[in-house]
Amino acid sequence: MLFYIPFKPESPKTRLSRLLSPDERVEFSFCMLDDVYSAVEESGHDPVVLTTHRLDGYEPGFDLGYETRLCPEPLTPAVNSVLDEAPVGVVMSDVCIATPDSVLRLVERGGDTDLSLAPGRNGGTNAFVSWTSEFEVDYHGTSYIDHLETARSRGIDTSTVDSFRLSTDVDEPDDLIEVLLHGEGMSHDYIADRFEVVENDERRVDLRRLDDGG
Amino acid sequence: MLFYIPFKPESPKTRLSRLLSPDERVEFSFCMLDDVYSAVEESGHDPVVLTTHRLDGYEPGFDLGYETRLCPEPLTPAVNSVLDEAPVGVVMSDVCIATPDSVLRLVERGGDTDLSLAPGRNGGTNAFVSWTSEFEVDYHGTSYIDHLETARSRGIDTSTVDSFRLSTDVDEPDDLIEVLLHGEGMSHDYIADRFEVVENDERRVDLRRLDDGG
């Protein structure tokens, strides 16, 4: 099955500005993309980067042998433009602690249903597989709730995948803690080269920039 | 199987002080406890509240027909005091969007392993089942990583349950968003009576206190 991975290499991850420079944010975005691409590939499915811009020229350090489809539109119309290819999967490029197993759980639920959704923190929809061309997305704050409602109103049988890994997209500084603790790929290594997890006085978890990082 | 639910009714959830009054935080803690207790019970297992204080006298509005064991010690020694009863489960009282299914996934993984862990956000250990009396806990910031290391050093075969619901404990204001969006029990209703999820100007998710709440 094709799994589209929407990606926008321009000014990514601005909410990480406190911790990462603009160049680092671009590099880190490519690391996350690579991890998601690999997870889909190792699950036995076929990843395609649905990218707003051509990828060459951004990151000469990366092997950009990705399958790509260029789509300069915003996220919602870009994803909707591929949904008539159902069955089709979509997974966000920053769900970088996804594993092949978690991707497979999305696909397996389809035995009974026409749509399999993985909620993200804060109401997002981090990944889904649709077996029907009747489904349509609208990404925004509580998209997960609205996607459930869209499915219900169109008579699309829906299941949910209860996955910590798929629920974790990387937007905020705290999300990098999950990358450090649970990641296994390039994004883990990129952050581990620059930060360590420390416990503060209250034995709570924080990130500390390593002196030689950057 | 017995599932212990550690609980401390004294001054709970101080990090929610910005949103909930001290009385509300006690009430809400009992709501969360009730949801966790019900999830374990509905999974076919046997919940026991491992409580630092007697529960009567706190919340006259609750049916406190819970199985309880009084243990006035801090969390780590309290939990360690029951682990020689293995097989035994432990689930935190604030993992309030847990479902019977997610509890069962902890138990099912035990076919192959002696320990089944559910990581929480920020490195915590939100739930586990141990089939060996060799395991011991030490709760603090990155307890999940240390629990994996304890298990490895003692030769305890370990599996991990990848569950968004079990990963979600309620400590911070943002966690209440998950309760509103994914909760199904008393804690959902308690928060839904007082807050609504709104999208701010950037189409990101926030909580707003209802005028008639409290």
Side-chain angles (χ1 to χ4, degrees), chain A:
Chain A
M1 187 186 299
L2 292 185
F3 263 83
Y4 287 95
I5 307 170
F7 186 66
K8 179 165 170 270
E10 292 275 314
S11 308
K13 297 297 157 196
T14 50
R15 283 184 269 164
L16 298 179
S17 303
R18 179 166 67 76
L19 296 179
L20 296 173
S21 72
D23 282 354
E24 284 179 323
R25 284 184 276 121
V26 172
E27 287 169 0
F28 180 56
S29 293
F30 272 86
C31 290
M32 293 198 290
L33 172 65
D34 198 81
D35 288 339
V36 173
Y37 196 95
S38 298
V40 171
E41 207 163 37
E42 287 166 30
S43 79
H45 292 279
D46 302 309
V48 180
V49 184
L50 187 64
T51 180
T52 53
H53 299 72
R54 288 176 57 94
L55 298 184
D56 44 358
Y58 277 95
E59 278 309 315
F62 282 77
D63 167 19
L64 296 178
Y66 303 134
E67 287 293 319
T68 59
R69 181 178 307 182
L70 197 62
C71 183
E73 292 188 79
L75 180 62
T76 291
V79 168
N80 281 330
S81 76
V82 303
L83 293 187
D84 57 357
E85 300 173 23
V88 64
V90 174
V91 53
M92 294 299 129
S93 66
D94 61 354
V95 187
C96 68
I97 65 170
T99 51
D101 276 356
S102 53
V103 172
L104 284 175
R105 285 174 64 201
L106 273 172
V107 179
E108 283 159 6
R109 292 297 288 266
D112 316 296
T113 59
D114 296 319
L115 179 67
S116 175
L117 292 176
R121 290 267 304 174
N122 288 316
T125 307
N126 285 357
F128 68 90
V129 171
S130 173
W131 284 262
T132 168
S133 54
E134 300 295 305
F135 184 57
E136 211 175 18
V137 297
D138 181 11
Y139 288 104
H140 62 99
T142 55
S143 68
Y144 174 68
I145 302 301
D146 289 352
H147 290 154
L148 286 178
E149 180 51 33
T150 298
R152 188 163 28 234
S153 71
R154 298 183 184 191
I156 302 170
D157 260 2
T158 304
S159 56
T160 292
V161 175
D162 174 29
S163 167
F164 168 55
R165 290 183 175 277
L166 295 180
S167 76
T168 304
D169 52 339
V170 177
D171 289 316
E172 307 279 351
D174 271 1
D175 299 326
L176 297 182
I177 294 170
E178 310 307 333
V179 178
L180 268 175
L181 297 181
H182 303 284
E184 294 163 7
M186 290 184 69
S187 30
H188 170 273
D189 294 349
Y190 193 86
I191 299 303
D193 281 347
R194 289 162 179 77
F195 298 92
E196 62 182 340
V197 170
V198 294
E199 289 181 20
N200 62 23
D201 294 345
E202 296 160 319
R203 301 194 84 189
R204 277 162 58 194
V205 175
D206 217 339
L207 282 180
R208 181 165 59 201
R209 182 106 194 182
L210 298 169
D211 290 341
D212 55 348

